[in-house]
Amino acid sequence: EHLDKWERLIIADALEAVVYEDGETVIKKGEIGDDFYIIVEGTALVTDHKEESVDEEGQEEEEQGENLLESSEYFGEISLILDIPRAATVTARGQLRCVKLDRSRFERVLAPCLEIMRERMNHYQG
């Protein structure tokens, strides 16, 4: 479903632009999360999250995963939606330009999207 002009203006007004330099940590696993981020330009490396996999003998194992996020992708929602500490560390790969929403704006502005975000979180957790 598309956002109408008024909804886009409300979101744009709530966003705060932030820039991170290469190697700078944006969020750190285990910290309390207060912000949600959308990548405008650049690449972010996501590490320390657990990925479940099955080894050669069919045994489930957890391993640390790495994932790259690029323009228009987002992160930080798990901590805000589930009210838990950060599940992964996100680091800038080169210069990273994002817009962010704090917790109260996230809940107010993105309330209609929360169910979709919950569905996507299931893919992160295997």
Side-chain angles (χ1 to χ4, degrees):
E1 197 175 318
H2 296 285
L3 297 173
D4 65 29
K5 184 178 179 180
W6 179 249
E7 290 168 321
R8 286 193 306 268
L9 287 172
I10 290 172
I11 292 171
D13 187 52
L15 296 171
E16 177 186 342
V18 290
V19 178
Y20 298 92
E21 298 303 326
D22 185 41
E24 192 173 351
T25 300
V26 182
I27 62 175
K28 188 171 182 178
K29 182 178 179 173
E31 291 181 345
I32 301 301
D34 291 318
D35 298 304
F36 166 75
Y37 298 84
I38 302 169
I39 299 174
V40 175
E41 185 180 334
T43 304
L45 176 66
V46 182
T47 55
D48 294 337
H49 65 288
K50 299 290 186 188
E51 290 185 354
E52 292 184 11
S53 61
V54 178
D55 68 15
E56 294 169 5
E57 285 112 36
Q59 299 292 319
E60 283 189 22
E61 56 183 22
E62 284 190 355
E63 48 187 59
Q64 288 192 348
E66 278 192 0
N67 191 25
L68 290 177
L69 299 177
E70 297 180 333
S71 181
S72 80
E73 294 187 287
Y74 59 84
F75 58 93
E77 78 284 5
I78 295 172
S79 184
L80 298 181
I81 293 171
L82 300 179
D83 200 27
I84 60 172
R86 296 291 193 194
T89 296
V90 178
T91 308
R93 273 276 182 93
Q95 189 177 72
L96 178 66
R97 295 178 183 277
C98 299
V99 289
K100 71 176 184 174
L101 288 171
D102 63 27
R103 180 181 295 271
S104 63
R105 289 182 175 139
F106 174 83
E107 291 170 350
R108 184 180 75 243
V109 173
L110 294 180
C113 303
L114 290 180
E115 197 53 44
I116 294 167
M117 290 179 169
R118 282 189 178 97
E119 292 283 324
R120 288 194 63 182
M121 285 184 340
N122 291 331
H123 297 288
Y124 304 155
Q125 298 168 352

